[in-house]
Structures are given as structure tokens and as C-alpha cells.
Amino acid sequence: AQTVTQSQPEMSVQEAETVTLSCTYDTSESDYYLFWYKQPPSRQMILVIRQEAYKQQNATENRFSVNFQKAAKSFSLKISDSQLGDAAMYFCAYRRWGTGTASKLTFGTGTRLQVTL
Amino acid sequence: DTAVSQTPKYLVTQMGNDKSIKCEQNLGHDTMYWYKQDSKKFLKIMFSYNNKELIINETVPNRFSPKSPDKAHLNLHINSLELGDSAVYFCASSHSVADTQYFGPGTRLTVL
């Protein structure tokens, strides 16, 4: 079974600085997808970024980028120029390639990010 | 404008009652999901429907019954509510089973 591990329960970053959130996963599959979702205090789950395992290039979305290391099964999220609005729980998630039961997301336990002035 | 909506947002009820949570998406997606987030914030899949057909049914007590009247709606009915059912329930949808999932705002269920 696939598992996703986020080893940092809490992180803190100063406004305008850069922070990296860690995620590792375990799978025997070669094709899959990885995601970072953000959950602010409003509890809405918001997609931050998505990475296809077959793509060697790391995904980026504005201030958010990932470092995808397939061999190491590592998928970290870098937030540059942190803003107060980035304060939230961040969840790493894995999805197997394919249809049917493969569509389920397996989540990590989350990292709570605090942004200080 | 709301893409995935859930009603109600908050639900407080007594043990033993039966309750329903409704989910609607206006994105034209054909796959919908229910996830449960427990008190420790852990999220886990419960059910998934693709074109009104059940495709994922994780180990969930049979007191939980999803119903999909059409592709845009996926409701969750819970019988004989227990204290342990208290959680936030999220509905999500995707264009297909292979696509990115977009979440609703969640329903916080509190069982007293």
C-alpha cells in the first residue's frame, strides 16, 4: 500500500523568506501523481501544485515550486517570498496512475506552516 | 461561482440520529468523492463515483451510504450516528478519474 510521510508537523517562516516543506512517499508504482494541497483556517482544501511522475521537470506555480526526486521518493514544496496568507496546513498527496480505484488520493499527516512578521 | 458546494457547512446532532450531507459541483466533472478528515487532520477517502457508478468503497461502516442521483451531485447519508463520526467531511470532484480533484468547503459534523 502507498504511504505518504510528512515528517515536519510544524514549520515557521518569516515574511518574505523561503521555506521548504518535506514529503516522502512509498510506492512500487512507476507512474503516479503527486500533489500539494493547502488548508487555511477556513478549512477549504486548495490545490497548490501537481507533479506527474513521468515528468523530469519540477512543477512551478508562481512562488511555489517542488523538488521532485523520483529515485529517493521525495517531493518537497518550496515557498518563496512567503506571505501572511501562506499560513495554513499543507498536505502532500499521492495518486496512483490509472482509473477506478487508482483515483483515490492518499494524504500525508500535514505540516502546519506559520508565517511571522 | 462556487465550483464544489456542500450543505450544510456545520451539522450538530445527537447520537443515534440519521443525517445527510449534500454535495453539488458545477464544473461538469464526472467523478465525485467523499473524504473524511478526523480530529488530527488526517484525510482519508471514503467513496468515489464515476458517472453515477460507485468505483471506490473504502472500509467504511455500512451506516454510511453515498447516493449519486446524477453526475453533478453526490450525497452522503449516515445512519445511527456515533460519537466517532464527528469529523469534517469533504466532497471533491474531478473531470475524470485520472484528473486533479477539487474540494468543497467541508462539512463539520459534531455528534453529541
Side-chain angles (χ1 to χ4, degrees):
Chain A
Q2 293 83 18
T3 57
V4 178
T5 301
Q6 294 180 247
S7 58
Q8 306 154 316
E10 289 193 11
M11 292 282 285
S12 184
V13 63
Q14 280 194 318
E15 204 177 14
E17 296 297 307
T18 296
V19 64
T20 299
L21 308 184
S22 301
C23 172
T24 58
Y25 56 94
D26 186 26
T27 183
S28 58
E29 306 284 334
S30 58
D31 291 322
Y32 49 86
Y33 303 88
L34 295 163
F35 305 85
W36 280 99
Y37 281 89
K38 167 185 176 182
Q39 187 178 37
S42 67
R43 82 165 179 253
Q44 175 78 51
M45 291 287 289
I46 302 165
L47 176 69
V48 175
I49 203 162
R50 160 185 163 134
Q51 175 81 44
E52 290 86 350
Y54 65 85
K55 289 185 178 178
Q56 293 187 343
Q57 188 171 7
N58 289 324
T60 62
E61 285 289 340
N62 300 314
R63 298 182 294 106
F64 298 86
S65 61
V66 298
N67 183 3
F68 173 49
Q69 302 288 329
K70 191 173 184 179
K73 296 180 183 173
S74 170
F75 182 61
S76 60
L77 174 70
K78 186 171 88 170
I79 307 174
S80 304
D81 187 26
S82 296
Q83 300 174 359
L84 292 177
D86 295 333
M89 280 286 283
Y90 285 82
F91 291 95
C92 179
Y94 166 99
R95 212 205 82 207
R96 194 159 55 93
W97 184 89
T99 59
T101 57
S103 62
K104 73 175 185 180
L105 288 171
T106 299
F107 285 91
T109 50
T111 296
R112 182 174 300 281
L113 178 66
Q114 291 184 321
V115 181
T116 58
L117 293 170
Chain B
D1 274 334
T2 305
V4 183
S5 60
Q6 294 179 228
T7 52
K9 285 194 170 57
Y10 297 92
L11 185 53
V12 181
T13 187
Q14 299 287 332
M15 264 196 328
N17 284 350
D18 303 338
K19 289 292 178 186
S20 291
I21 305 171
K22 296 187 176 183
C23 178
E24 177 181 3
Q25 53 92 5
N26 62 5
L27 297 166
H29 290 169
D30 63 7
T31 307
M32 297 183 73
Y33 312 79
W34 279 110
Y35 287 85
K36 179 180 179 181
Q37 186 174 41
D38 64 22
S39 58
K40 295 184 179 178
K41 302 287 189 182
F42 186 64
L43 276 147
K44 190 171 180 188
I45 185 77
M46 298 174 71
F47 303 102
S48 176
Y49 273 75
N50 174 248
N51 285 317
K52 300 199 299 174
E53 180 184 344
L54 183 66
I55 57 170
I56 295 176
N57 186 352
E58 290 288 286
T59 308
V60 177
N62 57 16
R63 299 182 294 102
F64 290 79
S65 54
K67 285 185 174 50
S68 182
D70 54 57
K71 288 197 299 185
H73 296 84
L74 180 61
N75 303 323
L76 182 65
H77 188 75
I78 316 169
N79 288 328
S80 303
L81 278 155
E82 300 177 356
L83 293 176
D85 299 332
S86 294
V88 179
Y89 293 85
F90 284 97
C91 177
S93 73
S94 60
H95 180 67
S96 71
V97 293
D99 207 355
T100 298
Q101 295 173 29
Y102 295 92
F103 284 76
T107 295
R108 180 177 293 280
L109 171 65
T110 303
V111 182
L112 303 174

